[in-house]
Amino acid sequence: MQTIVEKIKKELEAFQPQPIEEEVGTVISVGDGVATIEGLGKAGMMEMIQFDESSGKSLESALAQKETLFGMLLNLEEETVKAVILGEGSRVTEGMKVKRLGRVLSIPVSDGMLGRVVSALGEPLDGKGDIAEGVERPLERIAYGVIDRAPVNTPLQTGIKAIDATIPIGRGQRELIIGDRGTGKTTITIDTILNQKSIPEATRPICIYVAIGQKESKTARLVHELATRGALSYSIIVTASAAESAALQFLAPFAGATIGEYFMEKGKDALVIYDDLSKHAVAYRQLSLLLRRPPGREAYPGDIFYLHSRLLERAAKLSPERGGGSLTALPIIETQEGDVSAYIPTNVISITDGQIFLDTDLFNKGMKPALNIGISVSRVGSAAQTKAMKKVAGRIKLELAQFRELEAFMQFSSDLDAQTRERIEKGERLSALLTQNKYEPLPLAQQVASIYAGVNGFFDKTPLLKISETEKRLLTYLENNHAKVLQKIAETGDLAADTETELKQAIESFFKAMA
């Protein structure tokens, strides 16, 4: 019996277009980016087709035609097939001839994509010239099976204290980022990309950001931000903007996964961000309705769950026998008024390995990232934390969750006992300590030092409004005067007894000088 890997290997080896029986179809109707074709009785699902724009035209018109126009078959019916047009739908007319290409939709992938902005079909969009010729890889393929995967136990450092301390993400994990519009979902992913700059190049993940249905101006700002901060060299931007067709928005996340798998199978680590899958679901709903598929709940087609599950299942940590590479997925979902029980949010929550929930009320209070500790979870947990972070952040999540409950209770009671008041004050300080400005990710050693000082009461006498400023001064002091301690933590990933003693003495000396 063939293993999944053997199937995948065979699929990739035999991926070049196979000799097929010459079969030419004819477009019998076209509208809204969908062409109905007759005469392609042996075509397959997701197969690529080519529209012959020279048919019925003069020689001059044929020579003047634009680049080749492709389509993708999505409906196989009794007498006809329906295809979505991957380009300008106005270029397809009734009576036009269509040719099968004998393979599923694919894109060329290569190392030359690093630092580039590409379309859902792998074409360059940044005006920097052609991309070095790559390997053709199918957009849709079988995910790796359980036997070929390894446990997720290597941290993907986001540089965000609140996440790395309480909801750690491992390489090969699928962690959902969910919340209302404007709560900082994209900011978390950009900070994560920027933080990889502090990771040694040999182990640095390749970052793939997929913009689905976003404004082109937003994507341009993101590219500028990454370039300015030196993070574009290890990043790839895949974009299908709001101005693009629903078909290209539908394909964009699969292009991101395909590019990520290319690096994963080379034994490297890759991170793919889907921003966002709510718009992806809407694009697929639009396509399905145009293809006359029956609508279900909230007008989404019945296979919408399968759409996202087959995409996200491709994230994996491969076993050493398979090269040990990994593909981490950070899908983003937008909620309406914090409703996580809606159809698409519940679908993606059930597919992923945990969720980071961003709360609008916390965001409006100035807590950034606006992380709701109570309902955020990582199913990988401390297995994806370094020993140092595990030691200092062990009890922080419980304390913050209890603080949020007591904070709600405090609104109805002014008379609090000393123990409750002390717990609330500690929670307020920890919350202030975990607040972080955007585009300022912290390397592991600085995070450990900051959280160590917080959980051990060093900030207890610091006024609440001055905690952020004091923390910055503490980290600057440690970098200037005790760099060896930070270096030990960074190199070993552990907080050994002697290192902890040195760190404690260094923090004590700073707060004595402050007094």
Side-chain angles (χ1 to χ4, degrees):
M1 191 174 174
Q2 280 187 322
T3 65
I4 291 292
V5 171
E6 285 168 346
K7 283 182 184 175
I8 290 172
K9 195 174 178 185
K10 193 174 177 184
E11 173 193 336
L12 292 175
E13 283 173 355
F15 185 60
Q16 292 308 313
Q18 302 299 304
I20 58 170
E21 186 181 331
E22 186 65 31
E23 194 175 40
V24 176
T26 307
V27 176
I28 57 172
S29 68
V30 61
D32 297 316
V34 173
T36 304
I37 304 158
E38 66 177 5
L40 296 183
K42 294 180 181 177
M45 189 69 169
M46 293 284 290
E47 185 176 339
M48 286 180 79
I49 56 170
Q50 182 180 329
F51 294 96
D52 182 7
E53 294 184 80
S54 63
S55 53
K57 291 185 179 178
S58 66
L59 181 62
E60 292 77 15
S61 301
L63 290 172
Q65 71 183 41
K66 302 175 187 176
E67 70 279 355
T68 309
L69 185 63
F70 294 105
M72 176 181 64
L73 299 178
L74 279 181
N75 267 30
L76 307 177
E77 295 167 4
E78 202 168 335
E79 300 293 334
T80 60
V81 295
K82 283 183 181 171
V84 291
I85 302 161
L86 304 175
E88 293 174 44
S90 58
R91 288 165 59 186
V92 178
T93 56
E94 286 182 25
M96 187 177 280
K97 297 300 179 188
V98 180
K99 185 171 70 175
R100 285 177 60 203
L101 295 184
R103 57 173 174 171
V104 296
L105 189 63
S106 62
I107 61 167
V109 187
S110 70
D111 288 8
M113 284 184 158
L114 288 168
R116 302 297 300 271
V117 182
V118 299
S119 72
L121 299 177
E123 299 158 339
L125 298 174
D126 50 12
K128 295 180 182 177
D130 293 337
I131 295 170
E133 195 173 336
V135 184
E136 287 280 336
R137 296 180 67 100
L139 286 187
E140 284 268 21
R141 55 175 288 194
I142 305 167
Y144 279 93
V146 174
I147 301 299
D148 303 305
R149 299 183 183 227
V152 175
N153 53 19
T154 309
L156 178 86
Q157 299 288 346
T158 65
I160 302 167
K161 291 171 287 184
I163 292 173
D164 290 343
T166 62
I167 309 153
I169 300 169
R171 297 189 185 195
Q173 189 176 345
R174 303 157 302 174
E175 183 77 10
L176 172 63
I177 300 170
I178 186 168
D180 285 1
R181 177 176 292 187
T183 49
K185 300 184 295 298
T186 302
T187 301
I188 285 177
T189 61
I190 297 172
D191 282 346
T192 303
I193 294 173
L194 295 177
N195 189 57
Q196 305 317 306
K197 194 178 175 185
S198 66
I199 307 293
E201 194 172 342
T203 57
R204 181 185 296 154
I206 303 297
C207 300
I208 302 144
Y209 177 88
V210 184
I212 310 157
Q214 305 288 344
K215 290 180 183 174
E216 289 180 356
S217 58
K218 179 184 175 182
T219 307
R221 281 198 303 273
L222 181 139
V223 173
H224 174 73
E225 202 66 52
L226 294 180
T228 305
R229 297 174 185 272
L232 194 58
S233 60
Y234 55 86
S235 303
I236 300 166
I237 313 297
V238 181
T239 178
S241 72
E244 300 274 12
S245 67
L248 291 174
Q249 291 181 43
F250 156 67
L251 292 173
F254 292 100
T258 299
I259 296 167
E261 282 176 335
Y262 166 78
F263 290 104
M264 174 176 74
E265 288 170 5
K266 290 176 73 174
K268 297 182 180 179
D269 293 309
L271 164 69
V272 61
I273 294 151
Y274 304 116
D275 190 6
D276 62 68
L277 291 189
S278 299
K279 290 187 177 70
H280 183 230
V282 168
Y284 187 61
R285 174 170 63 184
Q286 185 180 333
L287 273 184
S288 298
L289 294 173
L290 289 172
L291 290 164
R292 306 291 182 192
R293 293 182 182 176
R297 180 174 161 188
E298 294 173 32
Y300 289 105
D303 64 339
I304 194 81
F305 180 90
Y306 177 54
L307 171 75
H308 287 152
S309 64
R310 73 180 191 260
L311 170 70
L312 294 169
E313 283 295 333
R314 290 164 73 174
K317 169 79 179 291
L318 295 184
S319 64
E321 293 78 18
R322 302 293 169 210
S326 72
L327 177 61
T328 309
L330 294 181
I332 294 175
I333 287 286
E334 185 180 298
T335 54
Q336 306 292 329
E337 297 291 331
D339 182 14
V340 293
S341 65
Y343 188 33
I344 300 302
T346 50
N347 273 355
V348 184
I349 285 170
S350 65
I351 295 164
T352 50
D353 307 311
Q355 68 273 350
I356 293 167
F357 181 74
L358 301 179
D359 190 288
T360 307
D361 291 339
L362 292 176
F363 185 86
N364 293 337
K365 284 179 186 175
M367 179 75 186
K368 296 173 188 176
L371 195 60
N372 185 323
I373 298 290
I375 64 172
S376 296
V377 66
S378 169
R379 294 189 187 110
V380 173
S382 59
Q385 275 180 319
T386 58
K387 290 180 180 176
M389 185 59 82
K390 214 181 288 188
K391 284 177 181 175
V392 300
R395 61 181 192 270
I396 196 168
K397 184 168 185 179
L398 180 62
E399 288 192 5
L400 283 171
Q402 289 175 338
F403 160 65
R404 295 276 174 238
E405 293 297 321
L406 289 170
E407 190 181 32
F409 170 73
M410 188 173 64
Q411 296 173 5
F412 306 103
S413 176
S414 56
D415 186 23
L416 299 172
D417 61 87
Q419 189 179 1
T420 304
R421 190 172 293 282
E422 185 184 334
R423 183 164 282 174
I424 287 170
E425 286 177 4
K426 181 93 180 263
E428 285 174 338
R429 279 175 164 69
L430 285 176
S431 295
L433 189 64
L434 292 180
T435 300
Q436 198 166 335
N437 293 331
K438 68 176 182 178
Y439 309 150
E440 291 182 10
L442 279 180
L444 172 70
Q446 279 86 336
Q447 286 190 49
V448 169
S450 174
I451 293 168
Y452 181 86
V455 295
N456 287 289
F458 285 101
F459 286 101
D460 284 359
K461 293 182 181 176
T462 307
L464 206 56
L465 296 175
K466 298 226 171 170
I467 284 178
S468 184
E469 181 194 331
T470 306
E471 181 207 15
K472 283 180 185 171
R473 291 171 66 181
L474 167 64
L475 294 177
T476 305
Y477 171 81
L478 291 175
E479 284 169 18
N480 294 339
N481 302 287
H482 300 274
K484 285 184 180 176
V485 183
L486 296 178
Q487 193 177 345
K488 271 188 203 174
I489 297 169
E491 287 174 357
T492 63
D494 198 359
L495 192 64
D498 56 334
T499 312
E500 185 179 350
T501 304
E502 285 179 56
L503 180 63
K504 187 178 180 183
Q505 288 171 350
I507 294 170
E508 281 174 346
S509 64
F510 168 78
F511 279 98
K512 276 180 187 173
M514 284 277 293

